[in-house]
Amino acid sequence: MYSPIFPDQAKKPVHKLFRDALDDTYDHWCNIREYVFQNRPGSEELWHFNPKAGWHVRVRYHKRVIIYCIPCNSFFAILLVLGEKAMREAMKSNLSDDTLQIIQTARTHTEGSSFYIEVKDDSLIKDIKKLLAIKLFLK
């Protein structure tokens, strides 16, 4: 888990604070978010508070959360939750070794396996989009 940079439940962050916190990685978040919006028109970006994670962003389609963005100091972490079938597909796909290693250490829950990917530059954006494609299009 990451240390929340927006830990005060009474102070919901405004967009400028979010953008400033992500610094140079803000454009990478926009790229990921737009990928979801293009492939699931009608998706929405919502702030949510969790006592452990503080304020973070969820992108959801109807009631299904597609991806979580946990803002950190000058970077962000995404949280993905994939079902069993999606996890098998992800392990077979041509993801980078770094991403495959992250997936292999995923924590299993009733709703699926969850893992975090830190985004500090654009090196894992392609992998994140592949994982999102699996989540969005796997039947």
Side-chain angles (χ1 to χ4, degrees), residues 6 11-21 47 55 57:
F6 301 124
K11 294 182 182 176
K12 183 177 177 181
V14 294
H15 187 77
K16 182 182 179 344
L17 286 175
F18 177 66
R19 185 177 57 238
D20 290 349
W47 280 101
W55 284 103
V57 175

Side-chain angles (χ1 to χ4, degrees), residues 27-51:
D27 289 341
H28 303 314
W29 169 245
C30 291
N31 185 344
I32 293 167
R33 181 189 65 211
E34 287 306 312
Y35 180 83
V36 175
F37 288 169
Q38 288 172 358
N39 289 287
R40 286 294 181 269
S43 293
E44 57 185 341
E45 182 179 61
L46 302 166
W47 280 101
H48 186 266
F49 185 81
N50 176 292

Side-chain angles (χ1 to χ4, degrees):
M1 183 60 70
Y2 295 89
S3 296
I5 61 168
F6 301 124
D8 188 350
Q9 186 172 7
K11 294 182 182 176
K12 183 177 177 181
V14 294
H15 187 77
K16 182 182 179 344
L17 286 175
F18 177 66
R19 185 177 57 238
D20 290 349
L22 269 53
D23 197 25
D24 292 338
T25 64
Y26 177 74
D27 289 341
H28 303 314
W29 169 245
C30 291
N31 185 344
I32 293 167
R33 181 189 65 211
E34 287 306 312
Y35 180 83
V36 175
F37 288 169
Q38 288 172 358
N39 289 287
R40 286 294 181 269
S43 293
E44 57 185 341
E45 182 179 61
L46 302 166
W47 280 101
H48 186 266
F49 185 81
N50 176 292
K52 291 182 183 177
W55 284 103
H56 60 279
V57 175
R58 293 176 170 186
V59 175
R60 72 178 187 185
Y61 180 68
H62 298 293
K63 293 185 179 184
R64 180 181 181 210
V65 176
I66 305 297
I67 191 169
Y68 302 79
C69 173
I70 294 87
C72 301
N73 194 6
S74 298
F75 73 98
F76 63 95
I78 62 144
L79 171 64
L80 280 170
V81 180
L82 300 179
E84 187 178 326
K85 196 173 177 183
M87 284 294 285
R88 282 195 309 271
E89 190 67 28
M91 292 306 294
K92 292 189 301 186
S93 64
N94 61 343
L95 298 167
S96 70
D97 290 340
D98 290 340
T99 302
L100 287 172
Q101 186 175 5
I102 291 168
I103 293 171
Q104 288 171 344
T105 62
R107 296 176 63 195
T108 304
H109 311 276
T110 55
E111 63 275 0
S113 298
S114 67
F115 53 90
Y116 293 91
I117 299 176
E118 289 185 2
V119 179
K120 295 183 176 182
D121 55 39
D122 65 352
S123 62
L124 296 176
I125 301 298
K126 197 168 154 183
D127 283 354
I128 292 167
K129 287 182 177 180
K130 286 178 188 176
L131 291 166
L132 285 168
I134 290 168
K135 181 171 181 134
L136 295 172
F137 300 113
L138 186 67
K139 301 232 180 214

